[in-house]
Amino acid sequence: MRNDFPGLVTSNDKPWHYLDTAASAQKPQAVIDAMSRALGRDYATVHRGVYSRSAQMTLGYEAARRRMAVFLGAKSETEIVFTKGATEGINLVAHSWGGANLREGDRIVLSQLEHHSNIVPWQLLAERVGAEIDVCPLTEDGRIDCDWLQANLTAKHKIVALAHVSNVLGSVLDAQRAAKAAHGVGAKLLLDGCQAAPRMDLDMAALDCDFYVFSGHKTYGPTGIGVLWAREELLDAMPPYQGGGSMIDRVSFAGTTYAPPPQRFEAGTPMIAEAIALHAAIDYVEALGMERLFAHEAALAAQLRGELASLNSVRLFGPEQSAGIVSFALEGVHPHDLGTILDEENVAIRAGHHCAQPLMEHLGVPATARASFGLYSDESDIEALLRGIERTRRIFA
Ligand code: PMP
């Protein structure tokens, strides 16, 4: 697959060992071509034009929406809202659905491992309406503790918002158990699918969640686009998040009425080329087979964990079985120093808090080093990483 990804070639023609796919995936040529065509010979705006190029673009944009519906196993494409990314999707739900449905004294459940983008929008909502946030703890090996959910949710809890796959630990949520616990008390379940969409077969009916978000750029597509899926009846009842063109039914100074979903939530000129290129990205990954992808990355993660466990003075975080993401710390070496030395070896890892400071606090570290795999990763990436770690240990010895 590597040859499909121009981003994996370095200027000095040495292989680049890209181990930061969890932050953002490299793009296959098919996505770059789709983007280039959409911005080039096919370009026109959507939804407004009476000329044929605009009508063609509208067909392309709406075909992308249908493709997302198939990808997620949605009931209808009207359940698909294009957003700027997962962050905007969560903000949209917290602001629109949350603002309409949460009152003073209501409670929100998040977990200890959430990304800041699945924490801060809920804090803003809680402040606005006077709600409280409860934090679901993790099991010893770093999975969201569904037993805790089962035992602690009450009728006061209105929404449970959890990462489907952790961006730091690679742990996979038992989404069906979380849904059962949430629905058992009448709460809704939002899943942050940023790290699941690039590597898991998704079916909204089987997951039984109420809201699902993901980002295009982590799913081998472009930046600036993401998807929010929500149950039709929830979207129907939600007020607009932003006002502007394209989201209205009729505007007058006496009062404005709004378009039905999904247009109600897509104010302004949408991300046209980005949606079309995301369509190409989903075609590309699904053609490879999501189950194969998951197994490939999980096997690489297991191999790396095994190798790191055999070294002295390495601390490993997260469960044995990880969805292609391995967080670790080298005793006596700050992750940033490790990242800088690895960069000299053409190995790109992530070092930092990974936008999950409450998780870092729980782990008792300011930062971790994180290697994350993609569909193009292979054993040569692990070998290069281990060589770099050995060199770092010699430097710090
Ligand atoms: N949630 C998770 C689990 C993530 O990994 C990320 C990106 N690191 C986000 C949310 C935010 O995604 P974006 O910045 O693309 O909106």
Side-chain angles (χ1 to χ4, degrees), residues 157-174:
H157 291 111
K158 296 294 184 274
I159 178 99
V160 178
L162 303 172
H164 194 181
V165 172
S166 160
N167 67 310
V168 180
L169 305 174
S171 41
V172 182
L173 172 73
D174 184 343

Side-chain angles (χ1 to χ4, degrees), residues 251-256:
V251 177
S252 85
F253 285 114
T256 289

Side-chain angles (χ1 to χ4, degrees), residues 159-162 175 178-179 182-183 187-191 207-211:
I159 178 99
V160 178
L162 303 172
H183 295 157
K188 302 290 180 240
L189 176 67
L190 176 140
L191 294 181
L207 288 175
D208 199 24
C209 58
D210 302 287
F211 302 102

Side-chain angles (χ1 to χ4, degrees), residues 327-356:
S327 266
F328 61 98
L330 277 190
E331 211 174 90
V333 183
H334 193 283
H336 284 140
D337 291 331
L338 173 64
T340 306
I341 295 169
L342 288 173
D343 185 43
E344 292 165 9
E345 308 271 321
N346 267 359
V347 178
I349 61 152
R350 182 76 155 200
H353 54 61
H354 317 292
C355 295

Side-chain angles (χ1 to χ4, degrees), residues 22-24 84-90 113-118 163-168 192-196 213-218 224-226 325 350 354-355 370:
S24 203
K84 173 157 82 69
T87 300
E88 191 182 45
I90 298 170
L113 59 65
E114 297 311 312
H115 189 280
H116 296 163
S117 64
N118 197 27
H164 194 181
V165 172
S166 160
N167 67 310
V168 180
D192 168 358
C194 269
Q195 302 298 340
V213 298
F214 73 90
S215 283
H217 69 99
K218 292 175 198 280
I225 183 116
I325 297 172
R350 182 76 155 200
H354 317 292
C355 295
R370 180 188 71 183

Side-chain angles (χ1 to χ4, degrees), residues 341-394:
I341 295 169
L342 288 173
D343 185 43
E344 292 165 9
E345 308 271 321
N346 267 359
V347 178
I349 61 152
R350 182 76 155 200
H353 54 61
H354 317 292
C355 295
Q357 286 177 345
L359 175 57
M360 296 298 115
E361 211 176 302
H362 167 76
L363 298 173
V365 290
T368 74
R370 180 188 71 183
S372 59
F373 298 106
L375 61 89
Y376 34 65
S377 306
D378 64 21
E379 284 173 16
S380 73
D381 299 318
I382 295 182
E383 285 158 17
L385 172 61
L386 292 170
R387 277 198 304 274
I389 289 175
E390 274 313 316
R391 192 177 145 230
T392 310
R393 278 153 56 107
R394 282 200 301 277

Side-chain angles (χ1 to χ4, degrees), residues 5 25-28 31 216-221 281 285 297 374-376:
F5 291 83
Q26 295 294 325
K27 319 304 172 200
V31 168
H217 69 99
K218 292 175 198 280
T219 313
Y220 305 94
V285 286
E297 294 172 19
L375 61 89
Y376 34 65

